[in-house]
Amino acid sequence: EIVLTQSPGTLSLSPGERATLSCRASQNVATTYLAWYQQKPGQAPRLLIYAASSRATGIPDRFSGSGSGTDFTLTISRLEPEDFAVYYCQHFSTSRQTFGQGTKVEIK
Amino acid sequence: QITLKESGPTLVKPTQTLTLTCTFSGFSLSTSGVGVGWIRQPPGKALEWLALLYWDDDERYSPSLKSRLTITKDTSKNQVVLTMTNVDPEDTATYYCAHRSITVVRGAFDFWGQGTLVTISS
């Protein structure tokens, strides 16, 4: 079973700063099967990135995904007020889905 | 436009069976590559995948919960139903259903319902 470990647990930044979120898998995963979601309080998760680096429909280009093998990164180039939220990475296959424990991006 | 909405009881007693329904529109669960999944989130905690049903009736379950879960569909009603037996207070969570497209977003969950909070308590 693949385990996803996200770091840091909490990221305290100011609007306009760059955010770098990490997702590490316990074994190599195909980039095709790695996604990132954003979740705001009281809301359902929203798909940001699929296939490790492809932005979902309507996602601003300040969000970018990268990585391969066991190390993946979500970068928010310049934080907007609406970007403060919790972010989850996900690995999926036909038979199983795994989410990381989340990284909270909070206003400093 | 794809939409999904969860429905079911808000309060269930321990040891009882929980039945949740996901009613969707904007897609067909008969279309190749399409699936509907269930994901839950205990208060203040992370997301946990539960089950997934594909267009071809293939069913997949979380290994840790497989013995307690059943996922079915009613294509004519555009519904997917999740049944969880022998519930426990640790099953208290917001339960989400979500659309999965292998062809469009490589299998990620691209559309989600609003979620429904289920509390397990006597």
Side-chain angles (χ1 to χ4, degrees), chain A residues 1 32-33 35 37 39 42-47 49-51 56 88 90 92-102, chain B residues 39 41 45-49 52 54 58 60-63 96 100 102 104-115:
Chain A
E1 178 184 352
T32 301
Y33 306 123
Y37 299 83
Q39 188 179 33
Q43 296 185 17
R46 177 175 72 148
L47 177 65
I49 301 288
Y50 65 95
Y88 293 95
Q90 179 207 18
F92 48 90
S93 65
T94 302
S95 59
R96 191 173 294 186
Q97 324 278 318
T98 304
F99 290 93
Q101 82 279 20
Chain B
I39 303 98
Q41 186 173 40
K45 295 188 177 180
L47 301 166
E48 178 185 19
W49 170 68
L52 190 56
Y54 288 98
D58 189 12
R60 303 287 173 167
Y61 297 98
S62 167
Y96 297 99
R100 183 179 193 226
I102 295 174
V104 177
V105 289
R106 308 290 181 91
F109 291 117
D110 53 351
F111 293 93
W112 293 64
Q114 64 190 24

Side-chain angles (χ1 to χ4, degrees), chain B residues 7-114:
Chain B
S7 59
T10 57
L11 181 64
V12 181
K13 290 181 167 50
T15 75
Q16 289 186 338
T17 295
L18 168 65
T19 299
L20 295 169
T21 300
C22 176
T23 303
F24 58 85
S25 63
F27 68 94
S28 171
L29 200 40
S30 300
T31 301
S32 179
V34 172
V36 172
W38 284 94
I39 303 98
R40 71 178 179 181
Q41 186 173 40
K45 295 188 177 180
L47 301 166
E48 178 185 19
W49 170 68
L50 302 176
L52 190 56
L53 181 61
Y54 288 98
W55 80 99
D56 59 358
D57 293 329
D58 189 12
E59 303 167 24
R60 303 287 173 167
Y61 297 98
S62 167
S64 63
L65 292 166
K66 183 175 183 178
S67 64
R68 298 172 53 208
L69 296 175
T70 303
I71 189 169
T72 59
K73 67 177 180 178
D74 185 332
T75 305
S76 65
K77 294 183 178 178
N78 281 353
Q79 292 180 333
V80 173
V81 176
L82 181 73
T83 302
M84 177 183 289
T85 61
N86 192 28
V87 297
D88 178 89
E90 290 192 351
D91 296 314
T92 293
T94 295
Y95 286 76
Y96 297 99
C97 63
H99 169 272
R100 183 179 193 226
S101 172
I102 295 174
T103 54
V104 177
V105 289
R106 308 290 181 91
F109 291 117
D110 53 351
F111 293 93
W112 293 64
Q114 64 190 24

Side-chain angles (χ1 to χ4, degrees), chain A residues 25-44:
Chain A
S26 57
Q27 57 187 276
N28 281 350
V29 301
T31 57
T32 301
Y33 306 123
L34 197 289
W36 290 91
Y37 299 83
Q38 176 195 66
Q39 188 179 33
K40 298 179 181 179
Q43 296 185 17

